[in-house]
Amino acid sequence: MNYWLVKTEPSAYSIEDLKREKKTLWHGVRNYQARNYLRAMDIGDKVFIYYSAVEPTGIFGLAVVSKKAAADPSQFEKKSGYYDAKATKDSPRWFAPEFAFDKVFAPPLLRDEIKKEKSLVKMVLLQKGSRLSVQPVTGAEFNKLISLAENPSGADLRSKAGVAISHG
DNA sequence: GCCAACGTTGGC
DNA sequence: GCCAACGTTGGC
């Protein structure tokens, strides 16, 4: 199993949109390296949904790959902003996997918290100038991110102080 | 809103 | 095939 992170903006497509629709075709990626990662995704792989550009930035949820990447239909649609005149049905340029909703992170795991974690400094996400919209995440990074998401720093502090955490 | 980093385009 | 110019991304 492999792990990934994809960027979006909540105004374009949010984790709540995915929760409502249950599944979505992750289309419109127009960068070759990102495309190659999309094609490498396998059914069952986990995908962090990251919001970029709009404050606060961070991971807002998790999806799971439900179908392997196939030709991205938007590259053939002339009216689409994703139209690519050089793509043909015989030799498509761009590919889109299907993602299924997994969970919303509440609260979200913000970029600031990720940056504070020493074991995560090598994440592609945190590299200077990294604009890749589809990124690989290592298994160790995945586990750490999940544990941070499930144990927000506030809860950590409360538990260290010996204060019971309510789960209601 | 600024601007550094990056990918793509197109002239040569 | 080089590389300057340009457009875009995205953190700050």
Side-chain angles (χ1 to χ4, degrees):
Chain A
M1 152 132 36
N2 287 302
Y3 308 96
W4 311 93
L5 177 148
V6 299
K7 294 179 185 173
T8 181
E9 290 181 30
S11 58
Y13 197 83
S14 69
I15 189 71
E16 283 79 19
D17 291 332
L18 182 56
K19 183 178 186 180
R20 185 173 56 250
E21 297 178 2
K22 299 189 173 58
K23 291 181 175 179
T24 193
L25 206 56
W26 202 257
H27 69 285
V29 172
R30 295 293 181 267
N31 168 285
Y32 287 104
Q33 195 176 354
R35 177 201 66 182
N36 294 341
Y37 286 137
L38 289 177
R39 296 191 79 179
M41 290 181 179
D42 233 323
I43 291 173
D45 284 2
K46 306 279 191 172
V47 185
F48 289 115
I49 305 296
Y50 178 88
Y51 292 172
S52 64
V54 182
E55 286 297 319
T57 55
I59 297 172
F60 280 67
L62 191 67
V64 59
V65 176
S66 49
K67 273 187 193 158
K68 291 208 65 161
D72 176 347
S74 67
Q75 68 194 303
F76 307 124
E77 294 162 6
K78 285 211 168 123
K79 280 182 275 181
S80 160
Y82 299 121
Y83 178 67
D84 184 341
K86 292 177 183 163
T88 66
K89 302 236 172 180
D90 285 342
S91 121
R93 273 191 171 186
W94 308 111
F95 293 81
E98 185 191 77
F99 294 164
F101 175 76
D102 190 323
K103 66 178 74 162
V104 172
F105 286 173
L109 180 52
L110 299 184
R111 183 183 179 86
D112 283 348
E113 297 176 55
I114 299 171
K115 280 198 303 191
K116 279 187 225 156
E117 187 55 47
K118 277 198 187 131
S119 58
L120 296 175
V121 294
K122 290 191 175 164
M123 278 189 75
V124 177
L125 182 70
L126 299 183
Q127 301 317 300
K128 191 176 182 186
S130 165
R131 305 187 329 193
L132 252 191
S133 62
V134 181
Q135 308 179 354
V137 171
T138 69
E141 289 164 352
F142 177 83
N143 291 334
K144 185 71 197 177
L145 290 163
I146 289 291
S147 112
L148 286 175
E150 288 173 354
N151 302 287
S153 53
D156 269 359
L157 291 174
R158 282 192 299 277
S159 73
K160 275 178 193 157
V163 178
I165 300 168
S166 139
H167 289 284

